[in-house]
Amino acid sequence: PYIYSNETTVEALFTPLSGGFIGSMAKAELRLVYNETKVTVHVVNRTVTWGDSLVLWGNVTGPAGRLIIVNASGLTLNATTGPGGFFNLTIPTALLKPGPTNITLVVKPYLSYGPARCMISVNVAGVKPEVAVNAMALFAGFTAEVLVAVKPWMHPIPLTISLRSVKETIMANASTVKVPVK
């Protein structure tokens, strides 16, 4: 069986099919032998600017095709080992929060190779986005479009456009949006 612990218990139960016998049970402790999985992980840079990609690569002992599940602050990605146990993975930091981030790699057991777990820490450096507003002219009583651009782009974000006492908040779904202003 694919059990990856040092010992397990095997039980045998005899249930009689005819009269004259009573049930019987026996237990035995078995020592299990499996190959230890070793994980080596390398990171291009342990501090990466938010929005840039974080590149990991490394090696896992055992045959090719081993599944590696990577968790980085709730973001889950999968990688598979290639020949020689090599793997390569790119993590998009735009989906992570800035600050210290722990990345956990879990290698699933495979045939005679047991599971493995490895954790590394990186820092995702935050960036201050630049917001640009472009409005040519506003005419009283008419609706005009104000062009708002955000760099670097950070998936949907709320933007509040203010014109004196009038405030309108929208959810920006692109790096450049047109906002109607009355």
Side-chain angles (χ1 to χ4, degrees):
Y2 297 112
I3 300 171
Y4 303 96
S5 63
N6 293 331
E7 292 181 351
T8 190
T9 302
V10 175
E11 296 179 1
L13 176 65
F14 169 70
T15 305
L17 297 176
S18 62
F21 293 101
I22 60 173
S24 177
M25 185 177 108
K27 288 184 182 181
E29 292 293 320
L30 292 180
R31 187 170 73 91
L32 297 171
V33 179
Y34 58 92
N35 293 313
E36 180 184 3
T37 297
K38 293 181 182 178
V39 183
T40 304
V41 180
H42 303 281
V43 183
V44 171
N45 193 349
R46 289 210 181 243
T47 297
V48 62
T49 302
W50 182 90
D52 291 344
S53 293
L54 179 63
V55 179
L56 305 176
W57 78 95
N59 188 284
V60 174
T61 55
R66 300 215 42 203
L67 176 62
I68 304 169
I69 299 172
V70 179
N71 186 299
S73 298
L75 174 66
T76 302
L77 302 166
N78 293 338
T80 305
T81 60
F86 179 79
F87 70 89
N88 189 353
L89 183 69
T90 301
I91 299 174
T93 61
L95 301 175
L96 302 176
K97 290 182 180 178
T101 301
N102 290 326
I103 299 172
T104 305
L105 291 86
V106 176
V107 181
K108 292 296 190 177
Y110 186 73
L111 300 174
S112 66
Y113 284 86
R117 183 180 193 91
C118 174
M119 188 175 83
I120 60 169
S121 297
V122 297
N123 185 43
V124 178
V127 295
K128 183 177 178 181
E130 295 178 22
V131 179
V133 179
N134 187 356
M136 296 306 270
L138 301 175
F139 296 99
F142 292 94
T143 300
E145 286 186 342
V146 174
L147 188 66
V148 180
V150 180
K151 289 182 183 179
W153 175 238
M154 303 172 273
H155 50 89
I157 57 170
L159 285 177
T160 301
I161 305 342
S162 300
L163 182 60
R164 294 195 176 212
S165 63
V166 177
K167 288 186 179 181
E168 185 174 341
T169 301
I170 64 160
M171 196 57 126
N173 291 317
S175 63
T176 304
V177 292
K178 291 180 182 178
V179 181
V181 176
K182 291 184 181 183

